[in-house]
Amino acid sequence: MQKKEPLPVGKKKKRRPRRENWTRPPLSAERRAAEEEWRRSRAAPNRPPLPQKRLIATLFGLALVTLTAFLMFLLPGRSLVNDLRSRGISVVAEVTAASKNKYGDAGNVKVRFDGPDGTVETELHDWGGKRPEGLRAGAAVPVTYDPREPTRVLTTRWVEDPPTATLPMLVTAVLTPLLLSGAVFLVVRRRRLLKAGEQADPTA
């Protein structure tokens, strides 16, 4: 039998740690963040894009704006018609000016008529963002005004039979539910994607 050579004094034989007893050293916060980002980047191509909160808030805001515009077109016109029907005075007015807007529709229409305290010169009120067509300077037109505030005046024809709806009212009435439904759809989609992501990655 061969004798083992004695180890040099002062030197000890290093023992390799057993693999089953080895534990991974704790990771730093930066390392954990990097690994988490790496896992998300690998899973991102398989997941649909997540709707952003800014887009959802924008859609809700636009829906609120169009709803407000619709009410501004609808309510003042109806209130004016009701007031003129209950206490309005009908006279014949002279059209002093009738302009066109940039779309070629009737713009501001200025009229002059005899009021309770003398001659009144004012503009015809719009109804739902629209003014009567076909009026020209120098023409005579029957109007109905509010004796408490003579500048509140409409053509008598519109007092008796106002337009059912105008183009601005229709546009805002269509856009409001579309924008609102789009925002709600994105909210639901975002929640589903977030829930699916939490189930797929329990460590997130």
Side-chain angles (χ1 to χ4, degrees):
M1 295 179 61
Q2 294 181 355
K3 295 182 180 181
K4 295 182 178 180
E5 295 181 0
L7 296 173
V9 179
K11 293 184 179 181
K12 294 183 179 179
K13 188 177 180 180
K14 295 182 180 180
R15 295 181 179 179
R16 295 181 179 178
R18 295 182 179 180
R19 188 175 295 276
E20 60 271 12
N21 295 332
W22 181 83
T23 56
R24 183 180 181 181
L27 299 176
S28 64
E30 293 79 5
R31 180 65 179 177
R32 288 197 303 269
E35 291 188 358
E36 179 65 26
E37 185 65 26
W38 179 77
R39 286 197 297 268
R40 290 181 179 177
S41 64
R42 291 194 62 184
N46 300 326
R47 296 179 184 176
L50 186 68
Q52 299 300 313
K53 292 183 179 180
R54 182 178 299 178
L55 175 59
I56 296 173
T58 300
L59 290 179
F60 274 119
L62 290 176
L64 180 60
V65 169
T66 54
L67 176 61
T68 303
F70 174 76
L71 295 178
M72 290 297 294
F73 286 133
L74 177 65
L75 298 182
R78 285 192 173 183
S79 175
L80 178 59
V81 167
N82 291 335
D83 290 344
L84 295 181
R85 284 178 177 177
S86 62
R87 61 172 182 265
I89 298 176
S90 296
V91 296
V92 176
E94 177 188 358
V95 179
T96 57
S99 60
K100 297 285 185 180
N101 60 24
K102 60 181 180 180
Y103 302 108
D105 300 326
N108 295 333
V109 179
K110 296 182 179 181
V111 295
R112 179 171 56 220
F113 57 88
D114 293 331
D117 298 322
T119 302
V120 177
E121 294 188 5
T122 185
E123 293 180 357
L124 290 177
H125 272 253
D126 67 284
W127 198 97
K130 181 179 176 61
R131 290 178 173 82
E133 300 280 353
L135 297 179
R136 295 177 297 178
V141 57
V143 299
T144 301
Y145 69 91
D146 186 349
R148 299 180 184 178
E149 190 176 348
T151 56
R152 301 179 71 209
V153 55
L154 280 174
T155 62
T156 302
R157 180 170 62 87
W158 275 19
V159 173
E160 297 173 351
D161 185 21
T164 303
T166 63
L167 182 59
M169 292 172 60
L170 291 176
V171 171
T172 54
V174 171
L175 288 179
T176 298
L178 287 179
L179 293 170
L180 185 60
S181 60
V184 172
F185 172 77
L186 291 181
V187 169
V188 175
R189 181 175 176 81
R190 178 182 174 86
R191 289 182 177 179
R192 288 181 178 177
L193 291 176
L194 289 176
K195 186 176 181 180
E198 291 176 356
Q199 293 176 351
D201 187 6
T203 61

